[in-house]
């Protein structure tokens, strides 16, 4: 039996992730059945689950990818830049609408909650570190604990995701993000 190259395996994994992302975006976590995942990827369940233990592992791989991408942007430009990125390219983030369903799964499945939390902790840690640097260089307000600012930005992020996922108007959200950004700056009284 010929050995499959690492490049081929990586390409197949990418193909599965891309198809699964579309499937989760369209049908949500629970609606992304194995049959639908097969249709979205064009691959058999054997091929899909050769690379991922199960649907949860596949979903968490997508979550890790997005958390890493968001953490990279947050580290360089801040969490508000992540939110602006979501507004500018909502199709790249549309699967995050399933995050609404994930809240239910987090509450009812402790193992899933633990795995999900470990992924979101990465983004929170990067955001906290960036805000601490901003506080030290004098651009971040000092009258509110940094951890409270991280929670505040997380709540805004959750609201943005909800708004995008439910198809509500995003016309005024750039101005809202301007307000959020101004509210965390030094000298803000908002």
């Amino acid at each position: 039996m010929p050995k499959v190259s690492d490049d081929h395996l990586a390409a197949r994994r990418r193909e599965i992730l891309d198809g699964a992302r579309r499937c989760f975006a369209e049908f949500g976590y629970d609606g992304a059945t194995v049959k639908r995942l097969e249709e979205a990827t064009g691959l058999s369940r054997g091929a899909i689950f050769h690379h991922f233990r199960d649907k949860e592992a596949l979903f968490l791989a997508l979550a890790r990818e997005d958390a890493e991408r968001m953490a990279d942007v947050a580290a360089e430009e801040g969490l508000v830049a992540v939110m602006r990125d979501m507004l500018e390219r909502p199709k790249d983030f549309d699967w995050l609408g399933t995050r609404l369903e994930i809240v239910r799964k987090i509450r009812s499945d402790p193992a899933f909650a633990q795995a999900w939390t470990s992924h979101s902790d990465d983004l929170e840690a990067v955001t906290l570190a960036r805000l601490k640097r901003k506080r030290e260089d004098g651009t971040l307000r000092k009258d509110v604990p940094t951890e409270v600012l991280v929670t505040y930005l997380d709540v805004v992020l959750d609201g943005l995701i909800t708004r995008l996922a439910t198809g509500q108007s995003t016309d005024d959200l750039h101005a809202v993000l301007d307000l959020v950004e101004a509210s965390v700056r030094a000298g803000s009284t908002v």
Side-chain angles (χ1 to χ4, degrees), residues 124-187:
E124 186 173 325
V126 167
T127 302
L128 185 59
R130 184 174 196 282
L131 291 178
K132 285 180 177 179
R133 284 192 315 272
K134 289 296 187 181
R135 178 166 280 175
E136 289 168 8
D137 75 13
T139 58
L140 183 70
R141 64 188 300 165
K142 294 183 179 182
D143 61 327
V144 177
T146 309
E147 293 77 11
V148 171
L149 292 175
V150 170
T151 301
Y152 166 63
L153 292 171
D154 283 344
V155 168
V156 172
L157 176 62
D158 286 343
L160 176 65
I161 290 170
T162 300
R163 194 158 187 130
L164 290 172
T166 57
Q168 296 177 39
S169 170
T170 59
D171 294 343
D172 58 347
L173 292 184
H174 288 287
V176 169
L177 292 180
D178 290 344
L179 179 63
V180 169
E181 204 164 32
S183 71
V184 298
R185 285 193 190 120

Side-chain angles (χ1 to χ4, degrees), residues 9-53:
L9 290 173
R12 178 57 53 96
R13 182 178 165 82
R14 177 81 267 143
E15 185 180 355
I16 293 166
L17 288 167
D18 291 344
R21 185 180 302 278
R22 289 188 305 274
C23 188
F24 285 124
E26 184 174 353
F27 300 107
Y29 181 84
D30 289 335
T33 61
V34 172
K35 181 174 176 24
R36 285 181 171 153
L37 287 167
E38 287 176 316
E39 291 168 0
T41 62
L43 300 169
S44 71
R45 70 186 58 212
I48 295 168
F49 297 118
H50 170 76
H51 293 274
F52 300 94
R53 179 182 74 252

Side-chain angles (χ1 to χ4, degrees), residues 10 19 94 101 106 120 122 128 135 150 153 164 186 189:
D94 61 356
E101 295 173 49
I106 287 170
S120 59
D122 294 341
L128 185 59
R135 178 166 280 175
V150 170
L153 292 171
L164 290 172
T189 58

Side-chain angles (χ1 to χ4, degrees), residues 43-72:
L43 300 169
S44 71
R45 70 186 58 212
I48 295 168
F49 297 118
H50 170 76
H51 293 274
F52 300 94
R53 179 182 74 252
D54 53 24
K55 182 172 89 169
E56 184 176 301
L58 177 56
F59 186 83
L60 288 171
L62 290 170
R64 178 173 293 284
E65 270 191 355
D66 279 8
E68 287 171 0
R69 184 174 75 207
M70 290 169 73
D72 288 345

